[in-house]
Amino acid sequence: MLSSIQSIMSNFRPEDALDIAIVSYIVYKMIGFIRETRAMQLIRGLVIIIVAFFVSDIFNLYLLNWLLKSLFTMGLFAVVVLFQPELRRALEQVGRKNLMNTNSFRNIDKNKAVETVDALVSAIDDFSATRTGALIAIERETMLNDIIETGVVVDAEISIRLLGNLFYEGSPLHDGGVIIRGARIHAASCVFPLTEKKNIGRNLGTRHRAGVGLSEVCDALIIIVSEETGVVSIAEDGKIRRFVDLKTIEKMLLNMYLPSERGMYDRVAKLVRRKGGKHDAK
């Protein structure tokens, strides 16, 4: 045993350490991703089948062994079909970690970013106060062209009045969600995919399920205002945060629109408050 360990160590190269580190990181990330999805139940089932396969091989249970081999073959196709949303999300997360900066906010100057954040927070404040249902997705690196195709392209400057008109109950575009790309309202009345999660809350309706559903398949920040209670929620990475205050939303938006100045949030926030936005009242 000792001689085997010494033999392995004598042939160990620096490249082997890098190889082990990369594989360990991949396995770690896969386990973390699996724990957040329905795939955890799948892994448990696979472990049981693998154990049964080896047991059948040891005790020469030929029929059971053949059946389990057939299950392995069919299982590969079943995994792709049953877990297509999870696989898509995993691949999209890998695709976001690119070396090129595709941030849609990089060409927005500081003043424009402050004006945009001020307009968004003030509109959300209005929606919350008047209990106007709203569903707003702010696009990041993952392009939402397939979702945009389900709605109407607007391509207009962000303003409190325009957002209010879009979500006004009598408006023909009030159903569905608004997609913001950079500093512009790109599309309205878009259909977001609904989440299949059962544990997001029984009192949450279609608007919240749509917000969580979209966040499961992209990296957008989704802001949801309840029509019944006026409560503001945020959906991100397949999770929802409820009862989010306006200051938190303001900080998240500033960090998004001014990524190179996150440490300067307090100074920028003062500039926003000087503009006299109505959200200072709360």
Side-chain angles (χ1 to χ4, degrees):
M1 181 68 177
L2 182 61
S3 60
S4 298
I5 296 175
Q6 290 175 342
S7 176
I8 293 173
M9 294 303 297
S10 63
N11 295 322
F12 195 80
R13 306 168 303 161
E15 293 87 347
D16 296 328
L18 178 62
D19 190 18
I20 293 172
I22 293 173
V23 172
S24 300
Y25 178 76
I26 292 173
V27 172
Y28 170 76
K29 297 300 287 185
M30 287 180 62
I31 292 174
F33 176 76
I34 287 171
R35 291 181 63 182
E36 296 177 357
T37 66
R38 297 175 299 161
M40 195 62 188
Q41 286 74 28
L42 174 67
I43 297 299
R44 291 173 183 168
L46 286 176
V47 170
I48 294 173
I49 293 175
I50 290 172
V51 171
F53 175 77
F54 282 110
V55 170
S56 67
D57 191 46
I58 292 172
F59 291 97
N60 297 320
L61 304 176
Y62 301 114
L63 181 60
L64 180 59
N65 190 268
W66 170 83
L67 179 61
L68 292 174
K69 283 183 179 178
S70 301
L71 285 177
F72 280 131
T73 303
M74 294 184 294
L76 294 175
F77 297 98
V79 166
V80 175
V81 173
L82 294 176
F83 294 92
Q84 184 269 338
E86 284 81 1
L87 291 172
R88 176 182 174 181
R89 182 184 172 196
L91 291 174
E92 286 178 342
Q93 288 179 348
V94 172
R96 293 175 204 159
K97 310 300 181 182
N98 50 61
L99 299 177
M100 298 181 64
N101 183 9
T102 58
N103 196 319
S104 60
F105 312 112
R106 61 183 176 180
N107 295 324
I108 303 174
D109 62 61
K110 181 177 176 180
N111 292 331
K112 186 63 177 177
V114 171
E115 291 177 4
T116 300
V117 171
D118 183 48
L120 285 171
V121 176
S122 296
I124 293 166
D125 187 19
D126 277 346
F127 296 151
S128 178
T130 59
R131 296 190 179 184
T132 301
L135 182 60
I136 302 172
I138 304 174
E139 187 181 69
R140 286 173 170 161
E141 294 184 16
T142 304
M143 304 295 285
L144 301 177
N145 293 333
D146 54 334
I147 305 297
I148 290 170
E149 291 175 356
T150 66
V152 177
V153 174
V154 178
D155 192 24
E157 291 284 336
I158 296 175
S159 68
I160 305 172
R161 180 171 295 181
L162 178 55
L163 285 171
N165 288 336
L166 289 175
F167 286 113
Y168 174 66
E169 189 173 357
S171 167
L173 300 179
H174 84 281
D175 280 332
V178 163
I179 293 179
I180 292 177
R181 176 175 290 174
R184 299 180 70 82
I185 300 173
H186 192 76
S189 192
C190 297
V191 179
F192 293 0
L194 299 179
T195 182
E196 296 181 3
K197 290 182 178 179
K198 306 296 183 184
N199 59 344
I200 68 167
R202 294 184 178 180
N203 59 330
L204 300 183
T206 305
R207 184 176 289 109
H208 292 82
R209 301 190 70 84
V212 175
L214 181 62
S215 72
E216 289 175 339
V217 298
C218 72
D219 63 344
L221 176 70
I222 297 96
I223 302 171
I224 310 154
V225 181
S226 171
E227 185 177 2
E228 289 76 19
T229 63
V231 170
V232 181
S233 305
I234 287 179
E236 192 175 16
D237 294 327
K239 301 174 182 177
I240 187 168
R241 293 170 54 191
R242 302 203 65 210
F243 302 98
V244 182
D245 60 88
L246 293 173
K247 294 299 180 185
T248 299
I249 294 175
E250 179 186 77
K251 183 175 180 178
M252 294 181 71
L253 292 175
L254 285 171
N255 287 341
M256 186 185 302
Y257 278 88
L258 297 170
S260 61
E261 301 186 26
R262 291 184 180 181
M264 302 172 64
Y265 162 69
D266 291 334
R267 186 168 66 83
V268 177
K270 289 178 182 178
L271 292 175
V272 176
R273 286 192 285 273
R274 284 199 198 110
K275 298 176 74 66
K278 290 191 291 182
H279 54 281
D280 288 331
K282 287 196 172 184

